[in-house]
Amino acid sequence: MLKNRNSQILTHFTLLILVALLIYGCAAMQTPQGGPRDETPPKVLKMTPENLTTNFNAKKIIIEFDEYIKLNNEFKEFSISPELEKIPELRAKLRRLEITLPDTLEKNTTYTLNFGKSIVDLNEANELKNFSYAFSTGPTLDSLSISGNVTNALTGEAELETTVFILPLSRDSLFGKKRAPIFTLTDSSGNFKLNNLKKDTYKIYALKEKGGDRIYQQVSDEIGFLKEPFVLDKNIDSIRLSVFKELAPDFRITDRRLNADGSIFLSFNQRLKNPDLTVVFPAAVDQGKQFQFNKTKDSVNLWLNDLSFDSVKIAIKNEGKTLDTVKLTRSKRDTYNRVVNASDNLEGGALNPFKDLTLSFNLPIKSIDESKIVLLEDSIPRKFTLVKDSLDILKYHIKYKWRAKEDYILLLRENAINAIFDAKNKELTKKFTLGDANEYGTLTLSVEPIDTAKRYVLEIVNKDKNVIAAYPIARKTSVKLANYKQGVYYGRIVYDDNRNGIWDTGNVKEGIQPESIWYFTKELSIRANWDRNEIISIPATPPLPTPTVKEKPKVENRLPQNTDTGPSMGRRNN
C-alpha cells in the first residue's frame, strides 16, 4: 500500500516538473526573427557640455545616444584640431561616449573633434558619419566654413564618402606623411562642408582612398586638389575638386608570374608608349620569342619557345630605353597544362551582320589544318576564308557571306589548331545565328570646335563609361558610327592640351590638373534600323560639370549640362 502511494507521489512530482519546464520554455525570451534590418545610425540625444560651448573648462565630454554604441577604428577615424601631443581618450559605455581631455588645451582656442566613421551602433555597426563636436577655451568660436563638391575627373560622377581635408599652408609639407586632422566626408551627391575654421591660408585636397588612414598613397588612391593656396577670411561655398588616379612617377613592375601554360605575364604601374622586351639571359632564349602588350600597354604576355632554363632575366624597354629587368625562376620538374581554347565576338549567340566572325586564341598559333575546320549553314558545309589579324597575334577572322535567319555551326575538330609548345585543341563547337540587320543603327556626329587653335578627342562611351571609340578633333569633323547595336551611348570631349591624342591625368607634386573633360548633354542613343544625325558644338572653355549622383541619379542630370546641344535629326532605314 505504501509502495503504491510513493509511486503515485513520484509520478505527480514528475508531471509537475514537466509542466514547469513546458511553461518556462514557452515564456523564455528568444531573439526576434525576421523583420527589416536596422540601417539607422545612432542618434545624439544630449551633449554635456553642449556643442559649441565657449569659455570651455571641462575635463570630460559626455555624449548620449538613443541606442547602444561602440567605437570602430577610432585611432584612424578620430582626430582633434588643433592637434594635441596627447590625444583625448574615448570610451564607449552602453549608450554613452565619454571623451576625456588632456590638461594641455591652449587658451582662447577653438577645438574641433572629428569622429569620422568611428561611432557605430552595437548590433548592425551602422556608422554615424561626419559627426563633430566643437568648443572654445575663450569667449568666441572660430566660425568660418568651406563647402563644395567632389567629382571624378574622368566620369564626371559625384564622389561619395571621399575624404576632403585642409592643411594650413605652414603645414602643407606634411601632405602624404601624416593624417590631416581637419577633414570631412562627402555625401551621396559629392557635397562636403568643413565648419568651425579659423582665419588662415590653406591648401585643400580630396582623397578617395583604400587604406582609410587619410594619408595619400599614390599606388592605390585617387587625389584631387586646388593648385593655389587660398586665404580663408570669409565663408567659401564654391570649391570644386576632381579626383584622379595619378600616374606613378617611377616605373615599377607590379606583377610577374610564370603561368600554368608556360607563358609569362608582366604588368607595370605606367602606360608605355613604344614598349619592347628582350631576354637578356639566357640570350639564346630571346630567339623566337613572341609577346603581346594590352591596349593600354601596361601589361604584356610573353611566350618563349625554350623553357629548359632554371631562371630567365627579361628587360622591359620603352622607346629603346631599358626601364627595368625582371628575373623569374622555374623548376625542371615543373609541368604545364597546354590546351588551345578560343573565345569569339558573338553577342548572345548572334553575330553582328556587319562583322566577320573573330576567334581569339589563348596561345600563339603555329599552324592551322583548315581541313579540320567546318562551317555549317543549315547543316550544309560551306567554304570560307580564314585570315590572321594584322595586329593581334592571337586573333583570326572567318570571312563569309553570312545570310540572315540562318543557323550556323563552326566546328574545330580535335588537333585542328597547332599552337606554340605544340599545344593542340580539343574539339570546339560554336553555334550562332546572324544578327538581324534591322536591330542595328547608325549615328553621324558633326563635331564643331569653336576654338580651332586647340586640339580635342571625341570619345564615345557606353553607360558604364567604357570607351567604345575615340577620334582626334582639330577642326569641324564628321564622325560616323555605322551599324552599331542599338543602345545608349554618350559623347565626351577631352581638351587635349598636350596634343597627344589621349586623356592625361594630373600630378600633385607638379601641381598639374588632369585634362578637362566635357560631357555632351544628350544621350547618343542608337535606335534599331535608324540613322541619327547630331551636332556637337565644343565650347572654347569646358563648362563646370554638374556632377551626376551615383546612388539615386536623376535622368535629367545624368551628365554635366551643356548650353549648346545643337539640333538632332533622324530617319528610319527602309
Side-chain angles (χ1 to χ4, degrees):
M1 186 74 169
L2 179 62
K3 183 177 180 180
N4 291 337
R5 186 176 180 183
N6 289 338
S7 177
Q8 290 176 354
I9 293 173
L10 180 61
T11 301
H12 291 161
F13 182 71
T14 303
L15 288 173
L16 286 172
I17 292 175
L18 291 174
V19 171
L21 289 173
L22 179 63
I23 294 173
Y24 176 79
C26 293
M29 294 182 64
Q30 298 182 6
T31 303
Q33 301 296 320
R37 182 180 181 273
D38 176 21
E39 297 181 353
T40 304
K43 182 180 179 181
V44 175
L45 298 179
K46 183 180 179 182
M47 291 181 276
T48 308
E50 292 184 357
N51 191 21
L52 306 180
T53 294
T54 55
N55 296 313
F56 184 95
N57 59 7
K59 300 298 182 182
K60 183 178 289 188
I61 301 168
I62 298 176
I63 303 174
E64 299 179 28
F65 297 89
D66 64 340
E67 58 182 318
Y68 293 152
I69 64 160
K70 63 181 179 180
L71 294 171
N72 185 36
N73 291 328
E74 66 268 26
F75 296 106
K76 284 187 176 181
E77 293 289 339
F78 175 78
S79 70
I80 184 170
S81 174
E83 292 181 280
L84 299 171
E85 290 186 11
K86 183 179 179 181
I87 63 173
E89 178 186 347
L90 278 60
R91 294 185 65 186
K93 294 183 177 181
L94 301 179
R95 293 186 173 90
R96 299 172 58 174
L97 175 62
E98 296 182 359
I99 304 107
T100 303
L101 301 170
D103 296 325
T104 55
L105 299 181
E106 297 288 337
K107 295 180 179 180
N108 299 316
T109 303
T110 296
Y111 288 91
T112 301
L113 284 65
N114 294 297
F115 294 88
K117 297 185 289 185
S118 63
I119 302 173
V120 301
D121 63 33
L122 186 61
N123 291 325
E124 301 292 347
N126 294 309
E127 301 166 340
L128 176 61
K129 300 174 184 177
N130 285 339
F131 176 63
S132 63
Y133 178 95
F135 64 86
S136 174
T137 55
T140 59
L141 276 161
D142 294 331
S143 58
L144 296 175
S145 66
I146 300 172
S147 61
N149 185 269
V150 180
T151 56
N152 185 284
L154 184 59
T155 67
E157 292 181 336
E159 289 291 357
L160 61 155
E161 291 201 18
T162 295
T163 302
V164 178
F165 62 91
I166 59 173
L167 289 169
L169 187 60
S170 59
R171 297 173 59 83
D172 190 48
S173 60
L174 297 177
F175 172 76
K177 301 175 184 178
K178 193 173 181 181
R179 291 187 299 157
I182 310 174
F183 73 97
T184 189
L185 297 172
T186 58
D187 62 17
S188 61
S189 298
N191 298 319
F192 69 89
K193 188 171 185 179
L194 292 160
N195 295 308
N196 302 114
L197 304 176
K198 68 177 181 179
K199 180 179 178 180
D200 205 339
T201 302
Y202 294 98
K203 293 290 291 293
I204 188 167
Y205 300 88
L207 180 60
K208 184 180 180 182
E209 59 179 338
K210 293 185 177 180
D213 55 6
R214 302 199 307 278
I215 299 177
Y216 176 52
Q217 307 289 340
Q218 185 276 325
V219 173
S220 58
D221 299 342
E222 295 181 53
I223 191 71
F225 66 98
L226 293 186
K227 180 179 180 180
E228 300 298 333
F230 58 91
V231 176
L232 181 64
D233 54 8
K234 60 181 179 181
N235 293 342
I236 299 177
D237 60 3
S238 57
I239 297 287
R240 288 180 178 267
L241 300 168
S242 296
V243 297
F244 58 89
K245 183 68 177 68
E246 186 179 23
L247 294 181
D250 300 313
F251 177 83
R252 185 168 60 87
I253 299 170
T254 56
D255 192 12
R256 64 191 80 187
R257 63 176 181 264
L258 182 61
N259 294 320
D261 62 3
S263 63
I264 294 172
F265 174 79
L266 303 173
S267 64
F268 324 118
N269 64 343
Q270 291 181 352
R271 295 182 176 185
L272 306 182
K273 294 181 179 179
N274 186 24
D276 196 8
L277 295 179
T278 301
V279 179
V280 295
F281 178 83
V285 177
D286 189 63
Q287 297 295 322
K289 71 177 183 299
Q290 297 184 70
F291 59 88
Q292 181 156 290
F293 286 86
N294 65 344
K295 289 184 179 180
T296 53
K297 297 181 180 179
D298 57 4
S299 70
V300 63
N301 283 297
L302 168 65
W303 296 270
L304 303 175
N305 283 321
D306 183 4
L307 290 180
S308 61
F309 54 80
D310 293 324
S311 64
V312 62
K313 183 179 286 187
I314 304 163
I316 299 95
K317 300 180 179 180
N318 189 39
E319 297 186 319
K321 180 182 177 181
T322 299
L323 300 177
D324 199 358
T325 57
V326 58
K327 182 179 179 180
L328 294 101
T329 60
R330 64 175 293 275
S331 171
K332 291 183 178 180
R333 292 176 294 180
D334 286 351
T335 58
Y336 301 101
N337 179 24
R338 295 169 179 147
V339 177
V340 177
N341 292 308
S343 58
D344 54 59
N345 62 334
L346 300 175
E347 301 173 346
L351 176 64
N352 187 321
F354 306 100
K355 294 182 179 180
D356 298 323
L357 175 61
T358 299
L359 300 178
S360 298
F361 295 98
N362 59 321
L363 296 170
I365 305 304
K366 292 171 61 177
S367 63
I368 296 178
D369 185 350
E370 293 191 31
S371 68
K372 294 183 178 181
I373 301 179
V374 180
L375 176 65
L376 300 176
E377 179 186 84
D378 195 20
S379 302
I380 301 174
R382 303 292 184 179
K383 291 184 178 181
F384 60 90
T385 303
L386 185 65
V387 179
K388 184 176 182 179
D389 192 276
S390 60
L391 299 176
D392 192 326
I393 64 174
L394 301 177
K395 281 186 178 181
Y396 284 77
H397 306 283
I398 293 179
K399 295 183 177 291
Y400 178 74
K401 290 185 178 180
W402 312 103
R403 298 198 305 171
K405 299 181 180 179
E406 294 289 347
D407 292 326
Y408 290 93
I409 298 176
L410 179 70
L411 176 63
L412 280 70
R413 299 193 187 281
E414 188 173 5
N415 299 331
I417 311 299
N418 180 29
I420 192 172
F421 313 126
D422 286 326
K424 304 291 195 300
N425 69 292
K426 295 180 179 180
E427 187 168 292
L428 297 172
T429 302
K430 306 282 184 182
K431 296 182 179 181
F432 60 97
T433 58
L434 189 65
D436 187 350
N438 292 327
E439 294 181 356
Y440 296 77
T442 296
L443 173 65
T444 302
L445 301 173
S446 179
V447 188
E448 303 175 354
I450 294 176
D451 187 352
T452 55
K454 296 181 180 180
R455 294 294 180 268
Y456 313 88
V457 179
L458 167 65
E459 293 183 336
I460 306 299
V461 299
N462 60 16
K463 62 181 181 180
D464 297 321
K465 303 297 175 71
N466 296 320
V467 178
I468 304 301
Y471 307 89
I473 304 294
R475 59 186 66 86
K476 183 177 179 179
T477 305
S478 179
V479 173
K480 188 173 184 178
L481 283 73
N483 305 318
Y484 268 57
K485 185 76 173 178
Q486 63 178 341
V488 176
Y489 302 89
Y490 301 97
R492 69 185 183 199
I493 298 295
V494 176
Y495 286 70
D496 191 14
D497 298 332
N498 62 1
R499 304 187 176 208
N500 65 349
I502 61 174
W503 177 75
D504 288 287
T505 187
N507 184 286
V508 179
K509 185 177 180 180
E510 297 179 11
I512 299 173
Q513 295 288 343
E515 289 180 328
S516 298
I517 288 182
W518 169 68
Y519 275 84
F520 183 58
T521 304
K522 291 184 179 179
E523 290 182 356
L524 299 178
S525 302
I526 295 179
R527 295 172 58 186
N529 196 30
W530 191 270
D531 286 347
R532 176 180 175 182
N533 299 284
E534 196 73 54
I535 297 174
I536 298 180
S537 297
I538 303 177
T541 302
L544 291 174
T546 300
T548 60
V549 181
K550 290 183 178 179
E551 290 189 338
K552 296 180 180 180
K554 296 180 180 179
V555 174
E556 66 271 18
N557 288 327
R558 275 186 287 185
L559 294 173
Q561 297 299 307
N562 171 26
T563 55
D564 181 12
T565 60
S568 64
M569 297 171 285
R571 64 178 178 84
R572 182 176 295 279
N573 295 324
N574 296 315

